[in-house]
């Protein structure tokens, strides 16, 4: 195949796990450089790609230094802000993760990884931002979600989100049934 006039190898991955909304993912990799030049994600039951991005043209020449010059627009003031450090971030959140919390987060990440294409993430009610809870009173919330046993589901071709009545949130690139099964555990 060719992308942006360059020969590419195409790698396609297809889930073997039941319940995934992903039908396939194809990555087109430049044959000479190994640079990904295109990604196409197909959703189950959809005739057109759910997500598609690719280069139309590409050059590997070094860009001119002038491309990176920045001129402050008239009437604007430039303020340089240093990149925050880990301790800065802890200062804003008011707490730093303990070793036990970090260990638990790593264990949860491994659990999700083991689920593969059918991974479902659960956000406990205590960790759901208050803004999500407030949304439930909004008319738009009921218009863009569908009622299901135990909550409401927001759906797209590649993602479903279950907002459970008990305040928990479940999300994944899986069917609504998989989310309901995860919520029942």
């Amino acid at each position: 195949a060719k992308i942006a006039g360059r020969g590419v190898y195409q790698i396609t991955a297809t889930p073997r796990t039941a319940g995934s909304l992903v039908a396939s993912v194809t990555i087109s990799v430049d044959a000479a450089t190994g640079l990904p030049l295109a990604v196409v994600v197909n959703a189950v039951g959809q005739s057109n790609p759910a997500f598609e991005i690719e280069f139309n043209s590409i050059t590997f020449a070094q860009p001119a230094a002038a491309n990176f010059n920045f001129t402050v627009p008239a009437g604007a003031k430039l303020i340089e802000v240093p990149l925050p450090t880990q301790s800065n971030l802890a200062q804003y959140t008011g707490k730093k993760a303990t070793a036990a919390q970090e260990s638990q987060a790593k264990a949860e990440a491994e659990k999700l990884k083991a689920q593969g294409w059918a991974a479902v993430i659960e956000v406990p009610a205590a960790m759901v931002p208050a803004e999500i809870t407030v949304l439930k009173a909004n008319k738009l919330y009921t218009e863009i979600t569908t009622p299901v046993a135990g909550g409401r589901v927001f759906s797209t071709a590649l993602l479903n989100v279950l907002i459970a009545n008990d305040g928990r949130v479940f999300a994944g690139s899986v069917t609504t049934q998989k989310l309901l099964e995860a919520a029942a555990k």
Side-chain angles (χ1 to χ4, degrees):
K2 287 202 178 274
I3 302 287
R6 299 184 59 85
V8 295
Y9 295 109
Q10 290 186 316
I11 303 162
T12 300
T14 305
R16 294 183 188 168
T17 308
S20 175
L21 295 178
V22 177
S24 66
V25 176
T26 301
I27 302 171
S28 299
V29 179
D30 186 286
T33 66
L35 180 72
L37 297 179
V39 176
V40 177
V41 180
N42 291 299
V44 172
Q46 302 287 321
S47 57
N48 294 324
F51 176 83
E52 182 175 20
I53 188 166
E54 75 175 51
F55 282 88
N56 291 326
S57 65
I58 190 166
T59 178
F60 294 100
Q62 183 174 350
N67 288 349
F68 302 100
N69 290 344
F70 176 73
T71 304
V72 179
K77 179 180 177 184
L78 177 66
I79 300 172
E80 291 191 32
V81 178
L83 190 63
T85 64
Q86 187 66 31
S87 62
N88 293 138
L89 294 175
Q91 168 188 332
Y92 293 118
T93 61
K95 54 189 168 185
K96 186 176 185 217
T98 65
Q101 290 169 323
E102 287 181 11
S103 178
Q104 181 183 359
K106 286 178 184 176
E108 289 295 322
E110 287 301 317
K111 187 172 115 182
L112 285 173
K113 185 177 173 184
Q115 291 179 43
W117 295 91
V120 174
I121 187 168
E122 176 184 353
V123 180
M127 296 183 70
V128 174
E131 292 83 2
I132 300 294
T133 307
V134 172
L135 277 179
K136 291 181 180 182
N138 188 314
K139 182 181 176 193
L140 182 60
Y141 172 78
T142 58
E143 290 177 6
I144 65 171
T145 60
T146 305
V148 294
R152 297 190 72 86
V153 173
F154 173 76
S155 294
T156 72
L158 289 176
L159 177 72
N160 280 323
V161 178
L162 167 64
I163 298 112
N165 290 338
D166 64 9
R168 296 176 299 159
V169 175
F170 297 84
S173 188
V174 296
T175 62
T176 299
Q177 184 59 38
K178 286 280 186 191
L179 292 180
L180 292 171
E181 289 169 9
K185 290 182 183 178

